[in-house]
Amino acid sequence: MGAFHRLNLLHFTLSLVVIAVNGHNITAILEGFPDYSVYNSFLTQTKLADEINTRETITCLVLNNGAMAALTSKHPLSVVKNILSLHVLLDYYDPQKLHKISDGTTLTTTLYQTTGNAPGNLGFVNITDLQGGKVGFGSAIPGSKLDSSYTKSVKQIPYNISILEISAPIIAPGILTAPAPSSSGVNITGLLEKAGCKTFASLLTSSGVLKTYESALDKGLTVFAPSDEAFKAEGVPDLSKLTNAEQVSLLEYHASPDYKPKGTLKTTKDPISTLATNGAGKYDLT
């Protein structure tokens, strides 16, 4: 089992070295701006920070602590996540671009549009140059008002990430009652098989570790799944010769009980806890 661990760990570590160059970390950036500490905290609580960090080109419309306090005091975390995801634009907008919008107005896609819970234009934001140095923001739903406006630039890393402060939250009609994402009904083995990891999926089922994976879903789960080709590689030991306990440890080692997309992995320096961390072998991923 040790040889198999080293093989996968070496491959994974080398991959991190290659992809870490272009990463950004939104929470680390905002730590230098105490006026947005509440916003920054909720990016972590809602796990939106992880999703933001996976994007190569993005604009975050941030709210100061006063605006965030008013927002979060009225709504549960699931609604706050929906609202904040509407403030993450999947394009790069710096102050110069805001004032050079073609025809003076544009609709831009947000992170909320990617959730699958945004019918019509619910996941889009209307950006309008109001002239005189003012830029308005509002829902792209027809008839919506521009209830927010550009206040100031916070930070730009051209053309990777831009952080702009706006005056008030953008509240799209229906977003306050939109359903929160649910982990129930997620078919882990189906997703693995579709991704070319049928052998790994089969091992999860036969060993009983699938139930462990499923029980971790609500709090977040990241699976480091070897492809079918990886199991055929030279030097990989015969897993059928492992005891059941060894198979369980091996499979638990390939999952972290937390949601860790690529953006987070790019910037992670500390050992990553796995489902095997608290087991007999106490295996962390490094």
CSV table of all heavy atoms in Angstrom, one decimal, residues 183-244:
chain,number,residue,atom,x,y,z
A,183,SER,N,-26.9,18.3,-1.1
A,183,SER,CA,-26.0,17.2,-1.5
A,183,SER,C,-26.8,15.9,-1.6
A,183,SER,O,-26.2,14.9,-2.1
A,183,SER,CB,-24.9,17.0,-0.4
A,183,SER,OG,-25.5,16.7,0.9
A,184,SER,N,-28.1,15.9,-1.2
A,184,SER,CA,-28.8,14.6,-1.3
A,184,SER,C,-29.0,14.3,-2.8
A,184,SER,O,-29.3,15.1,-3.6
A,184,SER,CB,-30.2,14.8,-0.6
A,184,SER,OG,-30.9,15.8,-1.2
A,185,GLY,N,-29.0,13.0,-3.0
A,185,GLY,CA,-29.2,12.6,-4.4
A,185,GLY,C,-27.9,12.6,-5.3
A,185,GLY,O,-28.0,12.2,-6.4
A,186,VAL,N,-26.8,13.0,-4.7
A,186,VAL,CA,-25.5,13.0,-5.5
A,186,VAL,C,-25.1,11.5,-5.6
A,186,VAL,O,-24.9,10.8,-4.7
A,186,VAL,CB,-24.4,13.8,-4.7
A,186,VAL,CG1,-23.1,13.7,-5.4
A,186,VAL,CG2,-24.8,15.3,-4.6
A,187,ASN,N,-24.9,11.1,-6.9
A,187,ASN,CA,-24.4,9.8,-7.2
A,187,ASN,C,-22.9,9.8,-7.3
A,187,ASN,O,-22.4,10.1,-8.4
A,187,ASN,CB,-25.1,9.3,-8.5
A,187,ASN,CG,-24.8,7.9,-8.8
A,187,ASN,OD1,-23.9,7.3,-8.3
A,187,ASN,ND2,-25.7,7.3,-9.6
A,188,ILE,N,-22.2,9.5,-6.3
A,188,ILE,CA,-20.8,9.5,-6.3
A,188,ILE,C,-20.2,8.6,-7.3
A,188,ILE,O,-19.3,8.9,-8.1
A,188,ILE,CB,-20.2,9.3,-4.9
A,188,ILE,CG1,-20.6,10.4,-3.9
A,188,ILE,CG2,-18.7,9.2,-4.9
A,188,ILE,CD1,-20.2,10.1,-2.5
A,189,THR,N,-20.6,7.3,-7.3
A,189,THR,CA,-20.1,6.3,-8.2
A,189,THR,C,-20.4,6.7,-9.6
A,189,THR,O,-19.6,6.4,-10.5
A,189,THR,CB,-20.6,4.9,-7.8
A,189,THR,OG1,-22.0,4.9,-7.8
A,189,THR,CG2,-20.0,4.5,-6.5
A,190,GLY,N,-21.6,7.2,-9.9
A,190,GLY,CA,-22.0,7.6,-11.2
A,190,GLY,C,-21.0,8.7,-11.7
A,190,GLY,O,-20.6,8.6,-12.9
A,191,LEU,N,-20.7,9.7,-10.9
A,191,LEU,CA,-19.8,10.7,-11.3
A,191,LEU,C,-18.4,10.2,-11.6
A,191,LEU,O,-17.8,10.6,-12.5
A,191,LEU,CB,-19.8,11.8,-10.2
A,191,LEU,CG,-21.1,12.6,-10.0
A,191,LEU,CD1,-20.9,13.5,-8.8
A,191,LEU,CD2,-21.4,13.5,-11.2
A,192,LEU,N,-18.0,9.3,-10.7
A,192,LEU,CA,-16.6,8.7,-10.9
A,192,LEU,C,-16.6,7.9,-12.2
A,192,LEU,O,-15.6,8.0,-13.0
A,192,LEU,CB,-16.3,7.8,-9.7
A,192,LEU,CG,-16.0,8.6,-8.4
A,192,LEU,CD1,-15.9,7.6,-7.3
A,192,LEU,CD2,-14.7,9.4,-8.5
A,193,GLU,N,-17.6,7.1,-12.5
A,193,GLU,CA,-17.6,6.3,-13.7
A,193,GLU,C,-17.6,7.2,-14.9
A,193,GLU,O,-16.9,6.9,-15.9
A,193,GLU,CB,-18.8,5.4,-13.7
A,193,GLU,CG,-18.7,4.3,-12.6
A,193,GLU,CD,-20.0,3.4,-12.5
A,193,GLU,OE1,-20.9,3.8,-13.2
A,193,GLU,OE2,-20.0,2.5,-11.7
A,194,LYS,N,-18.4,8.3,-14.9
A,194,LYS,CA,-18.4,9.2,-16.0
A,194,LYS,C,-17.1,9.8,-16.3
A,194,LYS,O,-16.7,10.2,-17.4
A,194,LYS,CB,-19.5,10.2,-15.7
A,194,LYS,CG,-19.8,11.1,-16.9
A,194,LYS,CD,-20.9,12.1,-16.6
A,194,LYS,CE,-21.2,13.0,-17.8
A,194,LYS,NZ,-22.3,14.0,-17.5
A,195,ALA,N,-16.3,10.0,-15.2
A,195,ALA,CA,-15.0,10.7,-15.3
A,195,ALA,C,-13.9,9.7,-15.6
A,195,ALA,O,-12.7,10.0,-15.6
A,195,ALA,CB,-14.7,11.4,-14.0
A,196,GLY,N,-14.2,8.4,-15.9
A,196,GLY,CA,-13.2,7.4,-16.2
A,196,GLY,C,-12.5,6.8,-15.1
A,196,GLY,O,-11.4,6.3,-15.2
A,197,CYS,N,-13.2,6.7,-13.9
A,197,CYS,CA,-12.7,6.1,-12.7
A,197,CYS,C,-13.5,5.0,-12.2
A,197,CYS,O,-13.9,4.9,-11.1
A,197,CYS,CB,-12.6,7.2,-11.6
A,197,CYS,SG,-11.6,8.7,-12.1
A,198,LYS,N,-13.9,4.1,-13.1
A,198,LYS,CA,-14.8,2.9,-12.8
A,198,LYS,C,-14.1,2.0,-11.8
A,198,LYS,O,-14.8,1.5,-10.9
A,198,LYS,CB,-15.1,2.2,-14.1
A,198,LYS,CG,-16.0,3.0,-15.1
A,198,LYS,CD,-16.3,2.1,-16.3
A,198,LYS,CE,-17.2,2.9,-17.2
A,198,LYS,NZ,-17.6,2.1,-18.4
A,199,THR,N,-12.8,1.7,-11.9
A,199,THR,CA,-12.2,0.8,-11.0
A,199,THR,C,-12.2,1.4,-9.6
A,199,THR,O,-12.6,0.7,-8.6
A,199,THR,CB,-10.7,0.6,-11.4
A,199,THR,OG1,-10.6,0.1,-12.7
A,199,THR,CG2,-10.0,-0.3,-10.4
A,200,PHE,N,-12.0,2.7,-9.4
A,200,PHE,CA,-12.0,3.3,-8.1
A,200,PHE,C,-13.4,3.3,-7.5
A,200,PHE,O,-13.7,3.0,-6.4
A,200,PHE,CB,-11.5,4.7,-8.2
A,200,PHE,CG,-11.3,5.4,-6.9
A,200,PHE,CD1,-10.3,5.2,-6.1
A,200,PHE,CD2,-12.3,6.4,-6.5
A,200,PHE,CE1,-10.1,5.8,-4.9
A,200,PHE,CE2,-12.1,7.1,-5.3
A,200,PHE,CZ,-11.0,6.8,-4.5
A,201,ALA,N,-14.4,3.5,-8.4
A,201,ALA,CA,-15.8,3.5,-8.0
A,201,ALA,C,-16.2,2.1,-7.5
A,201,ALA,O,-16.9,1.9,-6.5
A,201,ALA,CB,-16.7,3.9,-9.1
A,202,SER,N,-15.8,1.1,-8.2
A,202,SER,CA,-16.1,-0.3,-7.9
A,202,SER,C,-15.5,-0.7,-6.5
A,202,SER,O,-16.1,-1.3,-5.7
A,202,SER,CB,-15.5,-1.3,-8.9
A,202,SER,OG,-15.7,-2.6,-8.6
A,203,LEU,N,-14.2,-0.2,-6.2
A,203,LEU,CA,-13.6,-0.4,-5.0
A,203,LEU,C,-14.4,0.2,-3.8
A,203,LEU,O,-14.5,-0.3,-2.7
A,203,LEU,CB,-12.2,0.1,-5.0
A,203,LEU,CG,-11.2,-0.8,-5.8
A,203,LEU,CD1,-9.8,0.0,-5.9
A,203,LEU,CD2,-10.9,-2.1,-5.1
A,204,LEU,N,-14.9,1.4,-4.1
A,204,LEU,CA,-15.6,2.1,-3.0
A,204,LEU,C,-16.9,1.3,-2.6
A,204,LEU,O,-17.2,1.2,-1.4
A,204,LEU,CB,-16.1,3.5,-3.5
A,204,LEU,CG,-15.1,4.6,-3.6
A,204,LEU,CD1,-15.7,5.9,-4.2
A,204,LEU,CD2,-14.4,4.9,-2.3
A,205,THR,N,-17.5,0.7,-3.6
A,205,THR,CA,-18.7,0.0,-3.4
A,205,THR,C,-18.4,-1.4,-2.7
A,205,THR,O,-19.0,-1.7,-1.7
A,205,THR,CB,-19.5,-0.3,-4.7
A,205,THR,OG1,-19.8,0.9,-5.4
A,205,THR,CG2,-20.7,-1.1,-4.5
A,206,SER,N,-17.4,-2.1,-3.2
A,206,SER,CA,-17.1,-3.4,-2.6
A,206,SER,C,-16.6,-3.4,-1.2
A,206,SER,O,-16.8,-4.3,-0.4
A,206,SER,CB,-16.2,-4.2,-3.6
A,206,SER,OG,-14.9,-3.5,-3.7
A,207,SER,N,-15.9,-2.3,-0.9
A,207,SER,CA,-15.2,-2.1,0.4
A,207,SER,C,-16.2,-1.6,1.5
A,207,SER,O,-15.9,-1.6,2.7
A,207,SER,CB,-14.0,-1.2,0.3
A,207,SER,OG,-14.4,0.1,0.0
A,208,GLY,N,-17.3,-0.9,1.0
A,208,GLY,CA,-18.2,-0.3,1.9
A,208,GLY,C,-17.8,1.1,2.2
A,208,GLY,O,-18.5,1.8,3.0
A,209,VAL,N,-16.7,1.6,1.7
A,209,VAL,CA,-16.3,3.0,1.9
A,209,VAL,C,-17.2,4.0,1.3
A,209,VAL,O,-17.2,5.2,1.7
A,209,VAL,CB,-14.8,3.2,1.5
A,209,VAL,CG1,-14.3,4.6,1.7
A,209,VAL,CG2,-13.9,2.3,2.3
A,210,LEU,N,-18.0,3.6,0.3
A,210,LEU,CA,-18.9,4.5,-0.3
A,210,LEU,C,-19.8,5.2,0.7
A,210,LEU,O,-20.1,6.4,0.6
A,210,LEU,CB,-19.7,3.8,-1.4
A,210,LEU,CG,-20.8,4.6,-2.1
A,210,LEU,CD1,-20.2,5.8,-2.9
A,210,LEU,CD2,-21.6,3.7,-3.1
A,211,LYS,N,-20.2,4.4,1.7
A,211,LYS,CA,-21.1,5.0,2.7
A,211,LYS,C,-20.4,6.1,3.5
A,211,LYS,O,-21.0,7.1,3.9
A,211,LYS,CB,-21.6,3.9,3.7
A,211,LYS,CG,-22.5,2.9,3.0
A,211,LYS,CD,-23.0,1.8,4.0
A,211,LYS,CE,-24.0,0.9,3.3
A,211,LYS,NZ,-24.5,-0.2,4.3
A,212,THR,N,-19.1,5.9,3.7
A,212,THR,CA,-18.3,6.9,4.4
A,212,THR,C,-18.2,8.2,3.6
A,212,THR,O,-18.4,9.3,4.1
A,212,THR,CB,-16.9,6.4,4.7
A,212,THR,OG1,-16.9,5.2,5.4
A,212,THR,CG2,-16.1,7.4,5.5
A,213,TYR,N,-18.0,8.0,2.3
A,213,TYR,CA,-18.0,9.2,1.4
A,213,TYR,C,-19.4,9.9,1.4
A,213,TYR,O,-19.4,11.1,1.5
A,213,TYR,CB,-17.7,8.7,0.0
A,213,TYR,CG,-16.3,8.5,-0.4
A,213,TYR,CD1,-15.4,8.1,0.6
A,213,TYR,CD2,-15.8,8.8,-1.7
A,213,TYR,CE1,-14.0,7.9,0.2
A,213,TYR,CE2,-14.5,8.6,-2.0
A,213,TYR,CZ,-13.6,8.2,-1.1
A,213,TYR,OH,-12.3,8.0,-1.4
A,214,GLU,N,-20.4,9.1,1.4
A,214,GLU,CA,-21.8,9.7,1.3
A,214,GLU,C,-22.1,10.5,2.6
A,214,GLU,O,-22.8,11.5,2.6
A,214,GLU,CB,-22.8,8.6,1.0
A,214,GLU,CG,-22.8,8.1,-0.4
A,214,GLU,CD,-23.7,6.9,-0.6
A,214,GLU,OE1,-24.1,6.3,0.4
A,214,GLU,OE2,-24.0,6.6,-1.8
A,215,SER,N,-21.7,10.0,3.7
A,215,SER,CA,-22.0,10.6,5.0
A,215,SER,C,-21.2,11.9,5.2
A,215,SER,O,-21.6,12.8,6.0
A,215,SER,CB,-21.6,9.7,6.2
A,215,SER,OG,-20.2,9.4,6.2
A,216,ALA,N,-20.1,12.1,4.4
A,216,ALA,CA,-19.3,13.3,4.4
A,216,ALA,C,-19.8,14.4,3.5
A,216,ALA,O,-19.3,15.5,3.5
A,216,ALA,CB,-17.9,13.0,4.1
A,217,LEU,N,-20.8,14.1,2.6
A,217,LEU,CA,-21.2,15.0,1.6
A,217,LEU,C,-21.7,16.3,2.1
A,217,LEU,O,-21.4,17.4,1.6
A,217,LEU,CB,-22.2,14.4,0.7
A,217,LEU,CG,-21.7,13.5,-0.5
A,217,LEU,CD1,-22.9,12.8,-1.2
A,217,LEU,CD2,-20.9,14.3,-1.5
A,218,ASP,N,-22.5,16.3,3.1
A,218,ASP,CA,-23.2,17.5,3.6
A,218,ASP,C,-22.2,18.6,4.1
A,218,ASP,O,-22.4,19.8,3.9
A,218,ASP,CB,-24.1,17.2,4.8
A,218,ASP,CG,-25.4,16.5,4.3
A,218,ASP,OD1,-25.7,16.7,3.1
A,218,ASP,OD2,-26.1,15.9,5.1
A,219,LYS,N,-21.0,18.2,4.6
A,219,LYS,CA,-20.0,19.1,5.0
A,219,LYS,C,-19.0,19.4,4.0
A,219,LYS,O,-18.1,20.3,4.1
A,219,LYS,CB,-19.3,18.6,6.3
A,219,LYS,CG,-20.3,18.5,7.5
A,219,LYS,CD,-19.5,18.0,8.7
A,219,LYS,CE,-20.4,18.0,9.9
A,219,LYS,NZ,-19.7,17.5,11.2
A,220,GLY,N,-19.1,18.7,2.8
A,220,GLY,CA,-18.2,18.9,1.7
A,220,GLY,C,-17.2,17.7,1.6
A,220,GLY,O,-16.8,17.1,2.6
A,221,LEU,N,-16.9,17.4,0.3
A,221,LEU,CA,-16.1,16.3,0.1
A,221,LEU,C,-15.3,16.5,-1.2
A,221,LEU,O,-15.8,17.0,-2.2
A,221,LEU,CB,-16.9,15.0,-0.1
A,221,LEU,CG,-16.2,13.7,-0.4
A,221,LEU,CD1,-15.4,13.3,0.9
A,221,LEU,CD2,-17.1,12.6,-0.8
A,222,THR,N,-14.0,16.2,-1.1
A,222,THR,CA,-13.1,16.3,-2.3
A,222,THR,C,-12.5,14.9,-2.5
A,222,THR,O,-11.9,14.4,-1.6
A,222,THR,CB,-12.0,17.3,-2.1
A,222,THR,OG1,-12.6,18.6,-1.9
A,222,THR,CG2,-11.1,17.4,-3.3
A,223,VAL,N,-12.7,14.4,-3.7
A,223,VAL,CA,-12.2,13.0,-4.0
A,223,VAL,C,-11.0,13.1,-4.9
A,223,VAL,O,-11.1,13.8,-6.0
A,223,VAL,CB,-13.3,12.1,-4.6
A,223,VAL,CG1,-12.7,10.7,-4.9
A,223,VAL,CG2,-14.5,12.0,-3.6
A,224,PHE,N,-9.9,12.5,-4.6
A,224,PHE,CA,-8.7,12.4,-5.4
A,224,PHE,C,-8.7,11.0,-6.1
A,224,PHE,O,-8.1,10.1,-5.5
A,224,PHE,CB,-7.4,12.6,-4.6
A,224,PHE,CG,-7.4,13.9,-3.8
A,224,PHE,CD1,-7.7,13.9,-2.4
A,224,PHE,CD2,-7.3,15.1,-4.4
A,224,PHE,CE1,-7.7,15.1,-1.7
A,224,PHE,CE2,-7.3,16.3,-3.7
A,224,PHE,CZ,-7.5,16.3,-2.3
A,225,ALA,N,-9.4,10.9,-7.2
A,225,ALA,CA,-9.7,9.6,-7.8
A,225,ALA,C,-8.7,9.3,-8.9
A,225,ALA,O,-8.6,10.0,-9.9
A,225,ALA,CB,-11.1,9.6,-8.3
A,226,PRO,N,-8.0,8.1,-8.7
A,226,PRO,CA,-7.2,7.7,-9.8
A,226,PRO,C,-8.0,7.2,-11.0
A,226,PRO,O,-9.1,6.6,-10.8
A,226,PRO,CB,-6.4,6.5,-9.2
A,226,PRO,CG,-6.6,6.6,-7.7
A,226,PRO,CD,-7.9,7.3,-7.5
A,227,SER,N,-7.6,7.4,-12.2
A,227,SER,CA,-8.3,7.0,-13.4
A,227,SER,C,-8.1,5.5,-13.6
A,227,SER,O,-7.2,4.9,-12.9
A,227,SER,CB,-7.8,7.7,-14.6
A,227,SER,OG,-6.4,7.3,-14.9
A,228,ASP,N,-8.9,4.9,-14.4
A,228,ASP,CA,-8.7,3.5,-14.7
A,228,ASP,C,-7.3,3.2,-15.3
A,228,ASP,O,-6.7,2.1,-15.0
A,228,ASP,CB,-9.8,3.0,-15.7
A,228,ASP,CG,-11.2,3.1,-15.2
A,228,ASP,OD1,-11.3,3.0,-13.9
A,228,ASP,OD2,-12.1,3.2,-15.9
A,229,GLU,N,-6.8,4.1,-16.0
A,229,GLU,CA,-5.4,3.9,-16.6
A,229,GLU,C,-4.4,3.9,-15.5
A,229,GLU,O,-3.3,3.2,-15.6
A,229,GLU,CB,-5.1,5.0,-17.6
A,229,GLU,CG,-5.9,5.0,-18.9
A,229,GLU,CD,-5.7,3.6,-19.6
A,229,GLU,OE1,-4.6,3.2,-19.7
A,229,GLU,OE2,-6.7,3.0,-20.0
A,230,ALA,N,-4.6,4.7,-14.4
A,230,ALA,CA,-3.6,4.8,-13.3
A,230,ALA,C,-3.5,3.4,-12.6
A,230,ALA,O,-2.4,3.0,-12.2
A,230,ALA,CB,-4.1,5.8,-12.3
A,231,PHE,N,-4.6,2.7,-12.6
A,231,PHE,CA,-4.5,1.3,-11.9
A,231,PHE,C,-3.8,0.3,-12.8
A,231,PHE,O,-3.3,-0.7,-12.3
A,231,PHE,CB,-6.0,0.8,-11.7
A,231,PHE,CG,-6.6,1.4,-10.5
A,231,PHE,CD1,-7.5,2.5,-10.6
A,231,PHE,CD2,-6.4,1.0,-9.2
A,231,PHE,CE1,-8.1,3.1,-9.5
A,231,PHE,CE2,-7.0,1.5,-8.1
A,231,PHE,CZ,-7.8,2.6,-8.2
A,232,LYS,N,-3.6,0.6,-14.1
A,232,LYS,CA,-2.9,-0.3,-15.0
A,232,LYS,C,-1.4,0.1,-15.1
A,232,LYS,O,-0.7,-0.6,-15.8
A,232,LYS,CB,-3.5,-0.2,-16.4
A,232,LYS,CG,-5.0,-0.6,-16.4
A,232,LYS,CD,-5.6,-0.4,-17.8
A,232,LYS,CE,-7.1,-0.7,-17.8
A,232,LYS,NZ,-7.7,-0.5,-19.2
A,233,ALA,N,-1.0,1.2,-14.5
A,233,ALA,CA,0.4,1.6,-14.6
A,233,ALA,C,1.3,0.7,-14.0
A,233,ALA,O,1.0,-0.1,-13.1
A,233,ALA,CB,0.5,3.0,-14.0
A,234,GLU,N,2.5,0.7,-14.6
A,234,GLU,CA,3.6,-0.2,-14.1
A,234,GLU,C,4.0,0.1,-12.6
A,234,GLU,O,4.1,1.3,-12.3
A,234,GLU,CB,4.8,-0.1,-15.0
A,234,GLU,CG,5.9,-1.1,-14.6
A,234,GLU,CD,7.1,-0.9,-15.6
A,234,GLU,OE1,7.0,-0.2,-16.6
A,234,GLU,OE2,8.2,-1.5,-15.3
A,235,GLY,N,4.1,-0.9,-11.8
A,235,GLY,CA,4.5,-0.7,-10.4
A,235,GLY,C,3.4,-0.6,-9.4
A,235,GLY,O,3.6,-0.6,-8.2
A,236,VAL,N,2.1,-0.5,-9.9
A,236,VAL,CA,1.0,-0.4,-9.0
A,236,VAL,C,0.7,-1.8,-8.4
A,236,VAL,O,0.6,-2.8,-9.2
A,236,VAL,CB,-0.3,0.1,-9.7
A,236,VAL,CG1,-1.5,0.1,-8.8
A,236,VAL,CG2,-0.1,1.5,-10.3
A,237,PRO,N,0.7,-1.9,-7.1
A,237,PRO,CA,0.5,-3.2,-6.5
A,237,PRO,C,-0.9,-3.8,-6.8
A,237,PRO,O,-1.8,-3.1,-7.1
A,237,PRO,CB,0.7,-2.9,-5.0
A,237,PRO,CG,0.4,-1.5,-4.8
A,237,PRO,CD,0.8,-0.8,-6.1
A,238,ASP,N,-1.0,-5.1,-6.6
A,238,ASP,CA,-2.2,-5.8,-6.7
A,238,ASP,C,-3.1,-5.5,-5.5
A,238,ASP,O,-2.9,-6.0,-4.4
A,238,ASP,CB,-2.0,-7.3,-6.9
A,238,ASP,CG,-3.2,-8.1,-7.2
A,238,ASP,OD1,-4.3,-7.5,-7.2
A,238,ASP,OD2,-3.1,-9.3,-7.4
A,239,LEU,N,-4.2,-4.7,-5.7
A,239,LEU,CA,-5.0,-4.3,-4.6
A,239,LEU,C,-5.8,-5.5,-4.0
A,239,LEU,O,-6.3,-5.4,-2.9
A,239,LEU,CB,-5.9,-3.2,-5.0
A,239,LEU,CG,-5.2,-1.9,-5.5
A,239,LEU,CD1,-6.3,-0.8,-5.8
A,239,LEU,CD2,-4.2,-1.4,-4.6
A,240,SER,N,-6.0,-6.5,-4.8
A,240,SER,CA,-6.7,-7.7,-4.3
A,240,SER,C,-6.0,-8.4,-3.2
A,240,SER,O,-6.6,-9.2,-2.4
A,240,SER,CB,-7.0,-8.6,-5.5
A,240,SER,OG,-5.8,-9.2,-5.9
A,241,LYS,N,-4.7,-8.1,-3.1
A,241,LYS,CA,-3.9,-8.8,-2.0
A,241,LYS,C,-3.9,-8.0,-0.7
A,241,LYS,O,-3.4,-8.4,0.3
A,241,LYS,CB,-2.5,-8.9,-2.5
A,241,LYS,CG,-2.3,-9.9,-3.7
A,241,LYS,CD,-0.9,-10.0,-4.1
A,241,LYS,CE,-0.7,-11.0,-5.3
A,241,LYS,NZ,0.7,-11.2,-5.7
A,242,LEU,N,-4.6,-6.8,-0.7
A,242,LEU,CA,-4.7,-6.0,0.5
A,242,LEU,C,-5.8,-6.6,1.4
A,242,LEU,O,-6.8,-7.1,0.9
A,242,LEU,CB,-5.0,-4.5,0.2
A,242,LEU,CG,-4.0,-3.8,-0.7
A,242,LEU,CD1,-4.5,-2.4,-0.9
A,242,LEU,CD2,-2.6,-3.7,0.0
A,243,THR,N,-5.6,-6.4,2.7
A,243,THR,CA,-6.7,-6.8,3.6
A,243,THR,C,-7.8,-5.8,3.4
A,243,THR,O,-7.6,-4.7,2.9
A,243,THR,CB,-6.2,-6.8,5.0
A,243,THR,OG1,-5.8,-5.5,5.4
A,243,THR,CG2,-5.0,-7.7,5.2
A,244,ASN,N,-9.0,-6.1,3.9
A,244,ASN,CA,-10.1,-5.2,3.9
A,244,ASN,C,-9.7,-3.9,4.6
A,244,ASN,O,-10.1,-2.8,4.1
A,244,ASN,CB,-11.3,-5.8,4.5
A,244,ASN,CG,-12.5,-4.8,4.3
A,244,ASN,OD1,-13.0,-4.6,3.2
A,244,ASN,ND2,-13.0,-4.3,5.5
